[in-house]
């Protein structure tokens, strides 16, 4: 595989193999409503022509925000400006997904924190309350479709609610949701697919960095659950419920992506401190994963892919417009 080749991901035709993972901008003002900062931010990222962007973790219900500066999709006023984000990203020929999330006990602002288990100020969800959350996700899928997103990413990583149900660290329930820790994830994927009707991607933490937590060898059941519900791809991250900070280094999560790719025929996305052209080329040439996600690299250098393409002689004024072309193209100076 090569960085600038086209490909088909689910039903989406993609222009290259590089995407931008979900990254919270923390720019909402306590109401979950996107504003001009969000529109400008996503326009800048889209101008750099990744194949796709995953919009930041967006809450499907009020108690699901990570922080009070996060976006929501569950009120009409929240949905109104999301249309503008979709439109501006599509203007650049870039696909846009929305990451749907419920933070569970990791919410910093919920009036009532919920999770799989009771714990201090955290309430263990009843089966009826779980059902209501699945319905919240289904509605979010319906709205994402109406808003024109190309795909939905379900956030089942980083220690948020779905991850709390998947992990033995936080789920020792004795009901159906404890007997099968993938049950909530399966219900959510199935529910969102039924309303969104397009490609649904799932983001997982493939390593929890805790002895009693999930490790890559435990991922088989989770991968099978994701496949069985008809998801289009798996995005492989790690951590979220670890007590101590993890050691990071270039491409530190790619071994997990490679291991997941060996478990599934679904396309796999890899991420984690990838910043250099050679790293991207090697990951793809070795087929460690099908898509490479660049987060912080493209936050600080949004036109990195354009400069790289220019070095290959692949950049044209027709593709990116005169202004950006004159800024990026090097005439040998
Ligand atoms: C500012 C910031 C916000 C983030 N927010 C999210 C998020 O909303 N959802 C998510 O799944 N990951 C989130 N992440 C993790 C990134 O998606 C990505 O996995 C991580 O930054 C590692 O990739 P990188 O080294 O290329 O940045 C965030 C990371 C950063 C730096």
């Amino acid at each position: 595989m090569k960085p600038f080749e086209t490909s088909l991901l689910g039903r989406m035709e993609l222009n290259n193999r590089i995407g931008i993972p979900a990254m919270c901008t923390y720019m909402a003002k306590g109401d979950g409503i996107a504003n001009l900062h969000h529109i400008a931010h996503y326009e800048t990222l889209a101008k750099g022509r990744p194949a796709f962007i995953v919009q930041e973790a967006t809450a499907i219900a009020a108690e699901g925000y990570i922080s009070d500066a996060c976006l929501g999709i569950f009120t009409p006023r929240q949905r109104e400006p999301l249309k503008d984000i979709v439109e501006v990203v599509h203007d650049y020929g870039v696909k846009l997904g929305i990451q749907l999330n419920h933070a569970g006990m990791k919410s910093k602002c919920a009036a009532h924190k919920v999770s799989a288990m009771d714990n201090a100020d955290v309430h263990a969800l009843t089966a009826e309350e779980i059902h209501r959350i699945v319905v919240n996700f289904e509605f979010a899928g319906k709205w994402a479709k109406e808003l024109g997103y190309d795909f939905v990413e379900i956030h089942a990583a980083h220690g948020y609610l779905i991850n709390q149900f998947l992990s033995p660290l936080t789920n020792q329930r004795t009901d159906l949701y404890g007997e099968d820790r993938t049950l909530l994830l399966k219900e959510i994927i199935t529910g969102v697919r039924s309303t969104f009707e397009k490609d649904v991607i799932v983001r997982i933490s493939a390593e929890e960095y805790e002895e009693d937590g999930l490790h890559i060898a435990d991922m088989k059941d989770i991968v099978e659950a994701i496949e069985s519900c008809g998801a289009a791809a798996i995005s492989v991250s790690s951590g979220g419920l670890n007590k101590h900070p993890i050691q990071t280094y270039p491409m530190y999560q790619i071994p997990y992506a490679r291991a997941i790719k060996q478990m599934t025929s679904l396309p796999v996305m890899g991420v984690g401190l990838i910043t250099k052209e050679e790293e991207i080329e090697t990951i793809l040439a070795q087929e460690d994963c099908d898509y490479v996600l660049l987060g912080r690299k493209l936050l600080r250098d949004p036109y990195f892919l354009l400069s790289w393409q220019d070095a290959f002689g692949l950049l044209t004024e027709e593709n990116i417009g005169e202004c950006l072309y004159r800024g990026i193209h090097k005439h040998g100076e």
Side-chain angles (χ1 to χ4, degrees):
M1 288 182 275
K2 291 198 165 66
F4 294 109
E5 67 188 12
T6 56
S7 67
L8 202 59
L9 171 58
R11 279 176 274 175
M12 291 182 284
E13 283 178 28
L14 299 180
N15 291 330
N16 61 60
R17 290 195 175 270
I18 296 142
I20 304 186
M23 285 181 288
C24 287
T25 53
Y26 304 109
M27 293 302 264
K29 300 192 166 69
D31 47 13
I33 300 176
N35 53 50
L36 291 179
H37 297 291
H38 297 88
I39 294 164
H41 172 72
Y42 286 104
E43 174 169 24
T44 303
L45 295 181
K47 250 188 210 176
R49 302 312 199 278
F52 60 90
I53 299 171
V54 188
Q55 182 185 300
E56 63 200 85
T58 302
I60 53 92
E63 71 280 10
Y65 287 120
I66 298 172
S67 79
D68 61 8
C70 290
L71 295 181
I73 191 177
F74 54 90
T75 73
R77 286 190 59 225
Q78 290 171 342
R79 294 195 285 281
E80 199 52 40
L82 296 181
K83 278 188 210 151
D84 297 327
I85 298 179
V86 173
E87 190 181 329
V88 80
V89 170
H90 282 169
D91 275 350
Y92 295 93
V94 175
K95 304 287 185 204
L96 182 66
I98 181 169
Q99 187 182 59
L100 298 180
N101 188 39
H102 190 303
M105 67 181 183
K106 278 185 77 172
S107 173
K108 295 182 195 119
C109 58
H112 305 286
K113 287 186 203 168
V114 299
S115 187
M117 306 283 290
D118 280 319
N119 181 9
D121 61 339
V122 178
H123 158 72
L125 289 161
T126 64
E128 199 180 308
E129 288 165 336
I130 292 172
H131 177 67
R132 222 172 298 146
I133 288 174
V134 174
V135 171
N136 291 149
F137 270 97
E138 287 172 358
F139 269 103
K142 167 179 143 53
W143 293 318
K145 182 182 166 211
E146 287 171 8
L147 288 162
Y149 287 95
D150 301 291
F151 63 95
V152 159
E153 179 173 280
I154 292 171
H155 200 354
H158 301 170
Y160 297 115
L161 185 69
I162 302 175
N163 194 169
Q164 289 157 30
F165 273 75
L166 289 173
S167 177
L169 295 169
T170 41
N171 182 358
Q172 290 118 36
R173 294 172 72 105
T174 51
D175 66 355
L176 290 176
Y177 292 94
E179 279 167 30
D180 176 3
R181 293 196 308 269
T182 68
L183 182 57
L184 175 63
L185 174 60
K186 285 188 284 199
E187 289 180 343
I188 289 173
I189 300 172
T190 305
V192 172
R193 283 194 68 224
S194 74
T195 53
F196 183 60
E197 296 176 342
K198 290 190 274 182
D199 295 311
V200 172
I201 290 168
V202 180
R203 192 166 215 206
I204 56 170
S205 282
E207 169 61 53
E208 293 197 313
Y209 307 105
E210 290 290 332
E211 200 181 335
D212 298 331
L214 292 168
H215 304 286
I216 189 72
D218 303 312
M219 286 297 130
K220 231 174 169 329
D221 288 349
I222 294 175
V223 168
E224 272 172 26
I226 293 170
E227 279 181 338
S228 71
C229 297
I234 303 177
S235 178
V236 180
S237 190
S238 71
L241 292 171
N242 41 301
K243 291 194 196 85
H244 305 288
I246 57 175
Q247 273 207 320
T248 61
Y249 45 87
M251 303 182 284
Y252 68 102
Q253 293 174 140
I254 290 301
Y256 305 131
R258 187 189 309 133
I260 297 288
K261 192 161 163 58
Q262 281 158 13
M263 297 177 195
T264 181
S265 57
L266 291 178
V268 169
M269 300 173 180
V271 69
L273 263 183
I274 301 163
T275 58
K276 297 194 167 60
E277 292 89 335
E278 314 83 78
E279 293 168 351
I280 300 166
E281 281 171 335
T282 306
I283 291 167
L284 291 171
Q286 291 178 176
E287 306 202 350
D288 291 330
C289 56
D290 302 274
Y291 297 94
V292 175
L293 306 178
L294 304 184
R296 286 162 291 180
K297 171 68 185 169
L298 293 182
L299 283 184
R300 60 179 170 264
D301 185 3
Y303 304 147
F304 162 70
L305 296 179
L306 297 180
S307 305
W308 187 11
Q309 279 179 292
D310 190 46
F312 280 138
L314 292 174
L315 206 63
T316 66
E317 193 175 317
E318 292 71 50
N319 285 345
I320 63 164
E322 182 180 348
C323 173
L324 205 51
Y325 186 74
R326 284 172 63 176
I328 305 271
H329 178 58
K330 288 211 170 65
H331 299 273
E333 71 271 32

